[in-house]
Amino acid sequence: MRKCDKYRELMNLALDDAITEYERKRLNDHLASCPECRLVNEALKSISEAISEDMVEPPERLVKNVMSEIKTHRHFGWKSITAAAACFVLIASAVGVGFFQNRDASADPGSASAYTQTSDVDGSGTYDPDALAADADGVGVGNGLRPSRAEPDESQQGRGDDGTRTTSDATEEENSGENAPAASKSAPDGESQNGQSDAQQEPADGSVSLMDVPTDVFNGMVSAEIYFSGSVSSSEPDVTLTGAEEIEMLSEILTYEQAAGIPVPEGEALFTVIAVNESGERTEIRVWRSNLQLLMEFNGELYTVSGLLEDILALIE
Amino acid sequence: MTRSEEDSIISAVLSGDRNAFEAIVLEYQKPMYNLALKMLGNEQDALDVTQEAFLSAYKNLKKFCGDSSFSTWLYRIATNLCLDSLRSDKRKKNIVSISSMRGEDDEDWELQIPDPGPTPETLLEKKELKRDVSRAMEALPDIYRQTLFLREISGLSYEEIGQTLDLEPGTVKSRIFRARKKLFLALTKKTGNFSESETSNTTKEA
């Protein structure tokens, strides 16, 4: 190590305001007698300045985007029981409808059309139930369970069974069978005994609190595949989550908040989650991003979810 | 914006005045955006991440507890979002940058200046400097670039950067030193103001 090396370190400390007075004096004394170090010191300062000065103006829309997002954001905390109930209905629908509607998506390329067909929803956030129903393999999806129409009591009822009864006829039976290993997140061998484990999530007073909802989306799921690339059916998942905790965290992140009020974008989603249950059935959940919010696609509509992209990324890290 | 101005804005936002947040965005958008731009390398991602960072700060404002300065807290949010974004890109492309995995460098500071040498002004002409530095920055391994940018743009201390990047302060310090050294060597090599022994030193690693 050359004797000048230690002064190079002091130069850096000086640049970072981390130098002591004593060190600064030593550095200055040395600089006075060492032309090479003087040169290096000046160069380092210039580089440092060049980096900090080399800033561009951000796009004008930045402030506007942030502020408009903030103004539509519900304010600190979700207080409304009605809203929570509506949220709950969505979850129930997601489990009941989304599950069956989408599980064959990877096997049947044609089923992907359910999404593209819904891209013509208008700006008000309404959707065309027929577009989805036509593609739902006979599963009744037009159950009318949309947040604005949801009755808390009805939702409570629907969920009282197994969280999937909001779907109709044939699927219901099929599902109750599949739901048996619902609690198997911690028992992947399927020996767990019931699908009733979520019973404790029902408050006695009939209200539905937000915190009760999220785990249901992935209830009974043993793994979640995450695809960052476009085609789900033709590629390997980028990440596969198999831990019960991870799946639960994912489900919390992807908890519905409210209708986003914008149509489902055309083109690729930001990422796609395929939740896989014990029987290997797959639920596809597509997640988009609008400026600042994660948006989850369901029934051809977009909803904001409670988690942020960073939560997802932290989870799969 | 003074600390007390900042405090009163934060109080106003917390008590329900959403519009008050605009002052925060206006104050910090430039460094935040530039930090993101440097870390992510393209404008769209930088815009997205900056917006996300502000929204996240807004949503989590209650959790800001004055332990650090508000700016530190903001930069931390932005940096983490940038890192997440980079990680997700890497994941997406399944690319692991070899250069960023090479942790330590072993260039020597030794400059072997043959004569009193060029003055700093001729060595690093202001006019072209920014461009050259910017280019040299891009060639730096990610870990160095991120750490150095964070330092230069945010003015955070080693400790604060360490908290942001989940690193020991000593690691932060050495990364910043190495980053500057690499830049210095790259720039001086370009200008050809130093001897061959120096340039061979810098290429040794590659």
Side-chain angles (χ1 to χ4, degrees), chain A residues 2 5 8-9 12-13 15-18 36 39-40 42-44 46-59 61-63 65-67 69-76 228-229 238-239 268 289 291-293 306 308-310 313-314 316-317, chain B residues 13 16 18-19 21-22 25-26 29-31 33-34 37-38 44 47-48 50-52 54-56 58-59 62 81 84 87-88 91-92 109-111 113 118-120 123-124 126 129-130 133-134 137 148-149 151-152 158 173 176-177 180 183-184 187 194:
Chain A
R2 279 163 33 110
D5 283 357
R8 305 288 157 78
E9 185 171 338
N12 275 285
L13 291 175
L15 283 172
D16 295 330
D17 299 321
E36 185 183 314
L39 178 66
V40 172
E42 289 305 315
L44 287 180
S46 305
I47 291 170
S48 189
E49 277 168 23
I51 296 170
S52 56
E53 285 171 8
D54 184 25
M55 289 209 260
V56 299
E57 290 299 327
R61 62 183 186 280
L62 195 159
V63 178
N65 286 352
V66 172
M67 291 315 294
E69 197 76 28
I70 281 173
K71 283 166 192 166
T72 57
H73 184 256
R74 64 185 169 76
H75 210 232
F76 310 109
F228 285 104
S229 43
D238 293 288
V239 182
E268 279 189 16
R289 180 166 66 157
N291 289 335
L292 311 160
Q293 268 279 342
S306 56
L308 297 170
L309 180 59
E310 58 184 313
L313 292 162
I316 63 183
E317 177 50 30
Chain B
V13 176
R18 299 179 185 206
N19 291 322
F21 197 75
E22 186 162 2
V25 182
L26 287 169
Q29 61 164 337
K30 190 171 177 182
Y33 174 76
N34 278 276
L37 187 59
K38 302 293 188 191
Q44 186 56 51
L47 180 64
D48 285 348
T50 310
Q51 292 177 164
E52 250 176 87
F54 279 120
L55 188 70
S56 177
Y58 173 80
K59 283 180 170 173
K62 263 202 239 174
L81 286 173
D84 289 342
R87 279 193 281 262
S88 105
R91 207 179 300 283
K92 190 168 176 177
W109 277 106
E110 236 168 298
L111 297 182
I113 299 177
T119 65
L123 171 66
L124 298 167
K126 258 279 201 250
L129 182 64
K130 279 185 191 173
V133 169
S134 173
M137 281 296 273
L148 183 57
F149 267 130
R151 168 62 213 157
E152 301 289 10
Y158 298 145
K173 184 169 82 169
I176 289 171
F177 288 12
R180 291 209 182 101
L183 287 181
F184 173 83
L187 289 162
F194 294 98

Side-chain angles (χ1 to χ4, degrees), chain B:
Chain B
M1 192 185 290
T2 66
R3 183 73 181 258
S4 70
E5 281 167 344
E6 214 160 71
D7 286 347
S8 64
I9 288 170
I10 292 167
S11 304
V13 176
L14 283 175
S15 58
D17 180 4
R18 299 179 185 206
N19 291 322
F21 197 75
E22 186 162 2
I24 300 275
V25 182
L26 287 169
E27 175 80 8
Y28 288 106
Q29 61 164 337
K30 190 171 177 182
M32 293 262 282
Y33 174 76
N34 278 276
L35 180 66
L37 187 59
K38 302 293 188 191
M39 288 183 78
L40 301 175
N42 80 76
E43 292 169 3
Q44 186 56 51
D45 288 350
L47 180 64
D48 285 348
V49 161
T50 310
Q51 292 177 164
E52 250 176 87
F54 279 120
L55 188 70
S56 177
Y58 173 80
K59 283 180 170 173
N60 295 294
L61 200 55
K62 263 202 239 174
K63 296 182 198 156
F64 169 64
C65 53
D67 284 350
S68 60
S69 72
F70 182 68
S71 61
T72 304
W73 187 71
L74 263 184
Y75 288 127
R76 194 173 303 157
I77 294 173
T79 306
N80 286 331
L81 286 173
C82 287
L83 294 175
D84 289 342
S85 173
L86 289 167
R87 279 193 281 262
S88 105
D89 280 355
K90 278 211 176 105
R91 207 179 300 283
K92 190 168 176 177
K93 294 172 195 154
N94 202 18
I95 289 172
V96 176
S97 159
I98 290 173
S99 62
S100 67
M101 292 181 65
R102 190 189 298 128
E104 309 304 300
D105 68 351
D106 50 7
E107 298 112 331
D108 204 304
W109 277 106
E110 236 168 298
L111 297 182
Q112 310 282 329
I113 299 177
D115 54 61
T119 65
E121 287 72 26
T122 59
L123 171 66
L124 298 167
E125 281 290 343
K126 258 279 201 250
K127 191 181 167 197
E128 294 186 3
L129 182 64
K130 279 185 191 173
R131 198 195 58 214
D132 291 344
V133 169
S134 173
R135 201 166 290 165
M137 281 296 273
E138 279 163 30
L140 282 183
D142 290 349
I143 57 170
Y144 295 131
R145 187 174 61 246
Q146 289 157 7
T147 317
L148 183 57
F149 267 130
L150 201 49
R151 168 62 213 157
E152 301 289 10
I153 288 181
S154 71
L156 299 183
S157 69
Y158 298 145
E159 285 75 15
E160 290 168 326
I161 294 170
Q163 287 166 14
T164 303
L165 299 177
D166 205 15
L167 296 171
E168 291 298 315
T171 308
V172 172
K173 184 169 82 169
S174 71
R175 281 192 186 178
I176 289 171
F177 288 12
R178 290 206 175 90
R180 291 209 182 101
K181 185 169 161 183
K182 282 171 180 289
L183 287 181
F184 173 83
L185 293 173
L187 289 162
T188 50
K189 181 182 164 193
K190 176 185 174 294
T191 58
N193 278 310
F194 294 98
S195 69
E196 279 308 302
S197 72
E198 175 51 30
T199 51
S200 63
N201 260 338
T202 58
T203 51
K204 185 168 56 181
E205 189 197 26

Side-chain angles (χ1 to χ4, degrees), chain A residues 80-246:
Chain A
S80 156
I81 293 293
T82 316
C87 169
F88 157 71
V89 174
L90 276 171
I91 298 294
S93 307
V95 175
V97 180
F99 186 91
F100 291 101
Q101 180 196 332
N102 296 321
R103 61 182 169 170
D104 293 329
S106 65
D108 175 15
S111 66
S113 62
Y115 297 115
T116 53
Q117 282 173 35
T118 60
S119 63
D120 59 358
V121 294
D122 63 33
S124 68
T126 58
Y127 76 111
D128 174 12
D130 294 334
L132 282 160
D135 195 63
D137 299 296
V139 174
V141 294
N143 54 22
L145 286 175
R146 302 188 55 236
S148 55
R149 299 180 220 150
E151 295 292 332
D153 286 344
E154 182 185 346
S155 65
Q156 190 64 29
Q157 191 57 48
R159 188 165 176 289
D161 297 316
D162 56 10
T164 62
R165 293 297 175 88
T166 50
T167 53
S168 59
D169 49 75
T171 64
E172 191 169 345
E173 190 182 327
E174 192 181 351
N175 184 65
S176 54
E178 290 155 7
N179 225 28
S184 62
K185 283 185 286 187
S186 53
D189 55 353
E191 284 174 18
S192 88
Q193 68 281 38
N194 67 66
Q196 318 299 323
S197 63
D198 51 359
Q200 85 284 353
Q201 293 171 1
E202 288 181 39
D205 62 4
S207 66
V208 178
S209 85
L210 185 62
M211 293 312 292
D212 294 337
V213 174
T215 52
D216 275 15
V217 177
F218 294 86
N219 206 1
M221 298 303 162
V222 292
S223 68
E225 299 170 359
I226 300 180
Y227 298 80
F228 285 104
S229 43
S231 172
V232 169
S233 56
S234 66
S235 60
E236 290 291 303
D238 293 288
V239 182
T240 302
L241 303 177
T242 52
E245 242 177 66
E246 289 177 320

